[in-house]
Amino acid sequence: MASTIRITLPDGSIKEVPAGTTVLEVAASIGTRLARETVAGLADGRMVDLRTALDHDVTLRIVTTRDPEGGEVIRHSAEHVLADAVKRLWPGTQIDAGRQDHSVKFQYDFRFPRAFRPEDLERIEEEMRRIIAEDLPFRRLEVGREEARRIMAQRGEELKLIRIDDIPEGETITLYEHGPFIDVCRGPHVQRTSQIGAVKLLEASGAYFKGDESNEMLQRIYGTAFASKKEMNAYFARLEEMRKRDHRKLGVQLDLFSFHPEAPASPFFHPRGAIVYNELVELMRSKYREYGYDEVITPQIFDVALWKRSGHYDNYRENMFFADAYDEVEDRKFSVKPMNCPSHCVLFASASHSYRDLPLRIADFGRLHRYERSGVVTGLTRVRSFSQDDAHIFCTPEQIGPEIRSLFDFIFEIYELFGFSSIEIFLSTRPEKAMGDPAVWQHAEKVLARSLDDRGAAYTLNAGDGAFYGPKIDFVVHDAIGREWQLATIQLDFLLPERFELTYVGSDGTEKRPVMIHRAILGSIERFFGVMLEHFAGDLPPWLAPEQVRVLPIVDAINPYAEKVRDALLEAGLRATVDSRQEKLGYKIREGESMKVPYLLVAGQREADAGTVALRLRHRRDEGSHPLDEVVARIANAVKTRSREL
RNA sequence: GCCAACGUAGCUCAGCUGGUAGAGCAGCUGAUUCGUAAUCAGCAGGUCCGCGGUUCGAGUCCGCGCGUUGGCUCCA
């Protein structure tokens, strides 16, 4: 080993230090303040503990309490303090493990005889503050597997022993210790507990050991921590902002939809919501004409025999609703459709097809019902009754590539319209519970991967996450609270054509099996509605706004003119109303603004005399008076072009 | 489905350790005719989610059910 090594710092300067120098020592050699704030290092881009001895030339960035990565180290350390606090308060408690991702939260699972209550969390939080005030140093120990087992066994940590056994052979086991607490952990951790500037426990919940439903349930505590109180306040303020744009809140505020116990997890769209919903559907319909789709309307309830044939009965039954008629015969059972694909297969099979007919693109906005377990439903994003911009493409194997590429154009065109920018793409491959020939799977997976590569689209491989009938590509966007939602999906299916014995006549006159592509772009209209509402924080672009224009007469005497203005707007195909209530202008504006109407047209005597209206754009000030026909043309144009601008 | 928390007027919420329900906004009525984010006054509005139980007495305590929310698990 060389006696000196070269450390390249972010400013490009190079420091020569003896091999074995730690990250913290490098920091100290630069400045005492830096050393004081150091919580870790980024060595060649990898997070390392500040106690790590550097043994070769590296590019090093010192991570301090001010860096985002520093926050992660602080939360990770707070996690240990949490576990320490719980063990101090309830000495018999066994610890399991913390969280992988410390970008915003930390968590710890405990084997504890009951659920933690809110008052427990308060006590624990107090205890944590006490530990932080003790300013305990963190120590890092590298140990052998047996040593780690011995320490944990001695402390009665049964769960931890299982965890140690799960650590792959050959991996270095490190322990972190502060005060009386010690835990198996990769680190990194802060220097001393006092570097945790602010800590807050968020909630408690149950969580299965190792995330497996069949294992015992442990008690989990969530919390967050920051370098300073100020940073923590900023975090909570941001959370509050996000809550305000929660689609469930906006749905009530804007009178768009509601939920009722009479039909749990199934939205009722109010007149305003129905307008938005139908605009989304109409958007897809208009594009279908461009992209060569044929829309069909299919039944809601089917003989169970259909689902047995499609395979849904065996693989998806637990998510299906069954429908029994009053005097139904014993041997004929019915079920509400959870998907459209089988009925499209029935349609395809009902006529003969030539290769010249393909690809056949069948679209269906049919209402679907899926039984989702009670604990998983939420707002519009996970419901039991919904419809999709669903379509099935029947094509020849050679047509898969072109179809997929055309779908990418379609998908990106639609997402562009909404301004969705952070889209993640996932390619999911053969799961364990799969039907069909593995060779066929492999071929399908290759076609999808190649199509993605051809387009230069970055994607993540989700090995084993495909549907049971075929591989798929999912498109995921992020909502306002940072949750991920799958919207578009493209799924290849070699099995349904098999099961329904679908055929077409090829150019050589022989019967061939078509390939089926399931695809949705908005995904479920309901989910898209919710995600989009949060995305826009309720400020829907003009074409989607349920009420596009509201005319505000200043006094009663102007009402007739205001109605004329509204009629001109209606004539132009716009959704317009008049607020003719006997209220002051400020009041009407406030209401129009809170309902997020994109255009408010103020009309007083001056405007009535001149044939103008005073335009007020959503969230902006008075734009002054303009001739009525100009304003109508402007708004009509924004709607027609589906512009996001007013 | 599992672990919790919550459920009071259309909405947002108050109601301490059990003593018979309250505010603001919305609604209705009247007055006000008003120029860019809330005019004033009055009135009305509640099986306190449902069903049981404890108690002289339950919005409040306990049990069960339903629903919602946050996690877990699941998610074709």
Side-chain angles (χ1 to χ4, degrees):
Chain A
M1 194 194 276
S3 58
T4 60
I5 53 170
R6 292 155 61 84
I7 311 278
T8 309
L9 297 165
D11 63 358
S13 67
I14 292 171
K15 239 182 178 8
E16 298 218 359
V17 298
T21 301
T22 67
V23 172
L24 182 59
E25 284 161 353
V26 173
S29 75
I30 298 169
T32 50
R33 168 146 187 204
L34 182 66
R36 197 167 61 237
E37 293 182 350
T38 297
V39 293
L42 267 170
D44 293 333
R46 231 184 69 245
M47 250 311 215
V48 295
D49 195 272
L50 54 89
R51 300 152 190 89
T52 305
L54 301 167
D55 58 8
H56 59 278
D57 295 358
V58 287
T59 302
L60 179 73
R61 203 184 101 206
I62 306 287
V63 176
T64 72
T65 52
R66 300 152 184 254
D67 298 314
E69 297 91 340
E72 293 180 26
V73 177
I74 287 169
R75 283 181 278 283
H76 191 175
S77 301
E79 191 168 271
H80 281 224
V81 173
L82 163 63
D84 183 14
V86 170
K87 285 198 68 111
R88 288 188 192 202
L89 292 169
W90 294 279
T93 311
Q94 284 183 40
I95 56 173
D96 177 31
R99 187 174 235 264
Q100 300 294 321
D101 170 19
H102 294 97
S103 53
V104 285
K105 288 179 186 180
F106 63 82
Q107 72 189 39
Y108 217 99
D109 291 354
F110 302 94
R111 184 184 261 169
F112 195 70
R114 60 172 175 83
F116 288 106
R117 294 186 278 259
E119 55 270 29
D120 295 330
L121 296 192
E122 277 172 40
R123 264 183 82 191
I124 296 165
E125 207 177 285
E126 258 172 59
E127 190 67 28
M128 287 177 73
R129 295 216 177 82
R130 212 166 292 140
I131 294 167
I132 288 167
E134 284 173 18
D135 196 18
L136 302 167
F138 273 83
R139 291 205 308 141
R140 178 175 186 270
L141 310 158
E142 278 187 27
V143 295
R145 185 175 300 262
E146 279 320 304
E147 175 71 358
R149 285 192 58 92
R150 194 185 58 74
I151 292 171
M152 287 303 153
Q154 189 196 334
R155 297 171 65 91
E157 301 289 3
E158 295 166 25
L159 299 172
K160 217 73 217 183
L161 292 175
I162 301 174
R163 290 290 186 178
I164 290 172
D165 290 343
D166 287 344
I167 298 174
E169 208 52 56
E171 200 167 298
T172 319
I173 297 180
T174 54
L175 300 179
Y176 276 85
E177 183 184 50
H178 73 265
F181 185 79
I182 187 159
D183 191 12
V184 177
C185 178
R186 276 204 197 85
H189 281 287
V190 297
Q191 300 178 39
R192 314 180 67 86
T193 53
S194 64
Q195 278 182 313
I196 303 165
V199 66
K200 176 86 192 148
L201 295 184
L202 301 171
E203 64 207 341
S205 84
Y208 301 108
F209 181 53
K210 290 197 206 175
D212 185 339
E213 219 174 350
S214 61
N215 285 342
E216 73 175 294
M217 185 167 264
L218 305 175
Q219 299 302 324
R220 175 173 297 175
I221 296 175
Y222 288 90
T224 190
F226 295 88
S228 69
K229 188 90 188 157
K230 196 174 152 206
E231 273 179 66
M232 184 151 92
N233 290 341
Y235 167 75
F236 283 109
R238 215 165 37 243
L239 263 192
E240 187 51 39
E241 277 308 303
M242 290 184 202
R243 272 191 207 109
K244 268 189 214 149
R245 58 159 73 190
D246 186 318
H247 76 273
R248 292 165 299 193
K249 267 207 133 49
L250 289 168
V252 174
Q253 190 194 324
L254 303 179
D255 193 19
L256 298 172
F257 55 83
S258 56
F259 289 87
H260 303 278
E262 288 79 358
S266 308
F268 288 57
F269 285 94
H270 299 5
R272 286 175 166 268
I275 289 172
V276 180
Y277 193 101
N278 286 329
E279 282 291 349
L280 291 174
V281 171
E282 196 40 52
L283 165 69
M284 297 314 295
R285 274 209 179 101
S286 66
K287 296 293 170 188
Y288 283 166
R289 289 189 278 273
E290 268 176 54
Y291 281 87
Y293 285 74
D294 297 310
E295 186 179 342
V296 299
I297 297 170
T298 53
Q300 203 64 49
I301 295 172
F302 295 84
D303 190 310
V304 162
L306 178 78
W307 309 107
K308 287 186 174 158
R309 181 164 194 188
S310 69
H312 289 88
Y313 190 82
D314 289 333
N315 294 281
Y316 200 64
R317 194 178 5 175
E318 63 273 21
N319 285 292
M320 288 169 69
F321 285 103
F322 290 86
D324 295 312
Y326 177 66
D327 62 351
E328 191 169 294
V329 274
E330 269 291 300
D331 56 351
R332 203 141 189 231
K333 292 283 178 198
F334 290 88
S335 162
V336 181
K337 69 177 167 191
M339 291 180 204
N340 290 312
C341 25
S343 48
H344 293 179
C345 288
V346 169
L347 275 179
F348 187 92
S350 67
S352 64
H353 298 276
S354 147
Y355 70 97
R356 295 174 200 272
D357 304 334
L358 304 185
L360 194 62
R361 308 185 188 92
I362 300 182
D364 196 331
F365 292 101
R367 182 141 292 271
L368 307 176
H369 290 84
R370 297 183 187 172
Y371 177 74
E372 299 283 359
R373 295 159 94 195
S374 61
V376 308
V377 295
T378 162
L380 284 180
T381 42
R382 190 90 179 260
V383 292
R384 291 187 178 144
S385 170
F386 61 100
S387 71
Q388 298 178 311
D389 60 326
D390 195 16
H392 295 95
I393 301 170
F394 297 89
C395 63
T396 69
E398 297 72 40
Q399 288 168 335
I400 294 175
E403 282 303 307
I404 299 288
R405 281 193 287 279
S406 154
L407 269 174
F408 286 158
D409 291 340
F410 198 165
I411 288 169
F412 288 112
E413 180 185 348
I414 295 296
Y415 284 8
E416 166 59 30
L417 201 53
F418 292 93
F420 281 125
S421 44
S422 72
I423 303 164
E424 279 187 88
I425 305 176
F426 296 92
L427 172 60
S428 300
T429 55
R430 192 172 192 275
E432 267 180 51
K433 186 179 160 189
M435 292 164 69
D437 181 359
V440 175
W441 271 85
Q442 231 177 11
H443 168 70
E445 287 165 5
K446 227 178 276 171
V447 173
L448 290 179
R450 193 167 352 109
S451 305
L452 281 166
D453 292 337
D454 286 353
R455 205 189 167 91
Y459 65 91
T460 309
L461 184 69
N462 272 351
D465 209 29
F468 74 83
Y469 52 72
K472 60 175 182 175
I473 299 174
D474 290 323
F475 293 73
V476 170
V477 305
H478 296 258
D479 74 9
I481 316 174
R483 290 177 299 202
E484 298 183 341
W485 292 108
Q486 186 213 296
L487 299 179
T489 183
I490 301 174
Q491 311 187 350
L492 261 53
D493 189 341
F494 294 82
L495 293 160
L496 277 187
E498 203 71 47
R499 292 200 150 219
F500 283 90
E501 294 170 14
L502 306 182
T503 58
Y504 65 93
V505 179
S507 54
D508 60 357
T510 65
E511 288 205 329
K512 304 208 184 298
R513 186 123 295 163
V515 172
M516 197 173 171
I517 303 172
H518 309 247
R519 44 105 290 171
I521 293 174
L522 303 181
S524 127
I525 313 289
E526 279 72 4
R527 173 178 295 179
F528 190 87
F529 193 129
V531 173
M532 171 203 75
L533 201 54
E534 298 193 357
H535 177 69
F536 288 126
D539 294 329
L540 297 177
W543 67 279
L544 278 169
E547 184 181 351
Q548 293 162 328
V549 197
R550 188 179 288 189
V551 188
L552 313 179
I554 292 173
V555 293
D556 289 355
I558 306 298
N559 286 353
Y561 177 67
E563 279 159 24
K564 258 181 59 193
V565 170
R566 178 202 55 202
D567 291 345
L569 292 158
L570 294 176
E571 192 63 32
L574 298 167
R575 296 185 284 268
T577 62
V578 178
D579 185 349
S580 57
R581 293 174 304 173
Q582 193 188 296
E583 294 290 350
K584 291 168 80 170
L585 181 60
Y587 182 88
K588 294 182 180 182
I589 287 174
R590 187 185 153 82
E591 290 230 322
E593 278 283 348
S594 60
M595 289 306 279
K596 299 180 182 289
V597 178
Y599 304 95
L600 298 178
L601 304 187
V602 175
Q605 195 57 54
R606 289 203 297 270
E607 286 74 17
D609 290 342
T612 61
V613 287
L615 178 61
R616 197 185 155 106
L617 303 176
R618 183 171 55 202
H619 305 329
R620 297 208 219 132
R621 309 216 146 262
D622 185 8
E623 304 267 323
S625 291
H626 300 274
L628 176 57
D629 51 354
E630 263 178 39
V631 172
V632 173
R634 170 189 178 148
I635 298 173
N637 184 57
V639 169
K640 187 168 151 252
T641 58
R642 294 199 172 99
S643 163
R644 275 179 274 137
E645 303 297 321
L646 300 185

